[in-house]
């Protein structure tokens, strides 16, 4: 697999965007392999997350995977590792042709309070046309800014001695607005002008959504658990948290004579903090087979996950019933 590395001034984060076509009949095997790859990557320093984006249609057949690391050096260590090479050798029969990637070093993350859709476009700029290409990109930006839903753009320059492609990432608030821009007459006219500055380009569309405790990075509402599953999962983490706090911090507060309204406020701050940064990530990981719509496709899985949660409830009730008055 060839690696395209790109860098912008400032910013420490590093993202690798990989696209690959999957052989017919091998999609399930690919998903299992990708999940295995994610688990291996998690063991590397600086790993922040991995997201899988399936194609919009069977005709496109382009699967996009995004890995995020805290620093470009940590991402490079993962890309160059023997563990990753072994995984790529294992998956060769799953792919149609060689996968392609861009590594985006630096840049600003997408705003987490919004749903956004990102397009990543790599350009093979003709020698001696770099300044013309940059002026053309400025013109593209001025036109993009006038289109509905535009949220911003970043330009990643090539790294001398590593690769020669320029990468542009731009965001829109919805897939429809992004598609409208990509199919617009304005962009078509700009591409006709830009063809004299680059020999080839490739477009990858990446969805991204955020939903508080349930941020799985699946790209759209299809990646968010059902409300009833969210409620059951929150109760699973919330009940033991509140009970333990009442039995520990609550007794301390009572002994110190802290007023009830203040004690309750502090306990709420502690419980929400524990849920957000400790317990809910653990619950999400342990119950991903049931919470993630992409995995929980059968009635048996829905029932099994619900039974697991209710069994945990029963265990907590038994424990606290035996240990409290």
């Amino acid at each position: 697999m060839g690696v395209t590395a790109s860098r912008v001034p400032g910013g420490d984060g590093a993202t690798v965007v990989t696209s690959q076509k999957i052989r017919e009949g091998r999609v399930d095997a690919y998903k299992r392999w990708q999940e295995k790859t994610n688990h291996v990557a998690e063991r590397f320093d600086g790993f922040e997350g991995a997201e899988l984006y399936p194609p919009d249609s069977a005709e496109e057949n382009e699967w996009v995977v995004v890995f995020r690391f805290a620093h470009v050096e940590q991402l490079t260590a993962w890309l160059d590792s023997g563990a990753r090479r072994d995984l790529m050798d294992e998956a060769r029969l799953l792919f149609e042709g060689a996968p392609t990637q861009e590594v985006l070093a630096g840049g600003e993350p997408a705003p987490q309070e919004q749903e956004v859709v990102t397009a990543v476009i790599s350009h093979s700029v003709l020698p001696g046309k770099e300044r013309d290409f940059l002026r053309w990109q400025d013109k593209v930006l001025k036109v993009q800014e006038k289109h509905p839903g535009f949220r911003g753009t970043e330009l990643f320059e090539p790294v001398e001695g590593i690769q020669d492609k320029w990468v542009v990432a731009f965001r829109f608030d919805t897939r429809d607005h992004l598609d409208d821009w990509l199919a617009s007459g304005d962009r078509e006219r700009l591409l006709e002008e830009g063809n004299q500055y680059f020999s080839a380009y490739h477009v990858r569309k990446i969805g991204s959504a955020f939903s508080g405790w349930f941020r799985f990075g699946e790209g759209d509402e299809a990646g968010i658990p059902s409300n009833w599953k969210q409620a059951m999962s929150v109760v699973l983490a919330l009940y033991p948290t509140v009970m333990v706090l009442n039995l520990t911090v609550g007794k301390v507060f009572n002994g110190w004579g802290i007023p009830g309204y203040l004690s309750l406020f502090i306990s709420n701050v502690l419980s929400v903090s524990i849920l957000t940064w400790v317990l809910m990530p653990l619950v999400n990981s342990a119950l991903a087979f049931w919470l993630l719509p992409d995995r929980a496709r059968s009635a048996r899985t829905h029932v099994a996950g619900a039974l697991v949660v209710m069994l945990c409830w029963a265990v907590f009730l038994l424990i606290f019933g035996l240990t409290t008055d």
Side-chain angles (χ1 to χ4, degrees), residues 114-145:
Q114 302 176 15
E115 291 189 14
V116 294
V117 181
T118 304
V120 177
I121 305 181
S122 57
H123 304 78
S124 298
V125 178
L126 296 170
K129 296 291 186 179
E130 292 82 4
R131 291 186 179 180
D132 293 328
F133 173 76
L134 289 174
R135 285 193 291 267
W136 175 76
Q137 277 295 331
D138 288 338
K139 183 182 296 187
V140 172
L141 175 58
K142 291 178 181 178
V143 177
Q144 276 183 320
E145 290 174 337

Side-chain angles (χ1 to χ4, degrees), residues 1-176:
M1 175 189 297
V3 175
T4 303
S6 307
R7 183 183 296 274
V8 295
D12 292 329
T15 301
V16 58
V17 180
T18 304
S19 62
Q20 51 227 346
K21 294 183 182 295
I22 309 304
R23 295 181 185 274
E24 185 176 357
R26 304 308 302 274
V27 169
D28 288 340
Y30 163 71
K31 288 182 178 179
R32 291 192 295 270
W33 173 85
Q34 187 61 58
E35 185 172 352
K36 177 181 177 181
T37 300
N38 295 349
H39 290 318
V40 174
E42 288 173 358
R43 299 198 291 266
F44 280 73
D45 290 341
F47 176 83
E48 294 186 344
E51 302 165 11
L52 173 63
Y53 300 96
D56 288 336
S57 64
E59 291 74 19
E60 289 185 8
N61 188 27
E62 185 169 53
W63 294 71
V64 176
V65 181
V66 177
F67 282 91
R68 294 190 177 93
F69 282 76
H71 302 284
V72 67
E73 294 79 8
Q74 294 167 329
L75 174 58
T76 302
W78 154 245
L79 293 176
D80 294 340
S81 66
R84 182 173 174 275
R85 285 195 295 271
D86 291 343
L87 286 164
M88 296 308 301
D89 288 340
E90 178 183 329
R92 291 192 186 281
L93 295 179
L94 300 177
F95 302 147
E96 289 183 1
T100 59
Q101 349 182 111
E102 284 81 33
V103 175
L104 313 181
E108 296 297 328
Q112 295 194 12
E113 72 276 5
Q114 302 176 15
E115 291 189 14
V116 294
V117 181
T118 304
V120 177
I121 305 181
S122 57
H123 304 78
S124 298
V125 178
L126 296 170
K129 296 291 186 179
E130 292 82 4
R131 291 186 179 180
D132 293 328
F133 173 76
L134 289 174
R135 285 193 291 267
W136 175 76
Q137 277 295 331
D138 288 338
K139 183 182 296 187
V140 172
L141 175 58
K142 291 178 181 178
V143 177
Q144 276 183 320
E145 290 174 337
K146 299 176 182 178
H147 275 250
F150 180 70
R151 287 291 179 267
T153 187
E154 297 172 59
L155 175 65
F156 299 83
E157 299 181 2
V159 179
E160 185 176 357
I162 298 178
Q163 59 84 35
D164 58 1
K165 289 185 179 180
W166 296 68
V167 181
V168 178
F170 53 83
R171 303 183 180 101
F172 280 78
D173 60 349
T174 66
R175 176 60 65 94
D176 287 342

Side-chain angles (χ1 to χ4, degrees), residues 225-238:
S226 303
N227 288 337
W228 65 275
K229 290 185 179 181
Q230 293 189 35
M232 290 184 69
S233 301
V234 171
V235 171
L236 175 63
L238 180 62

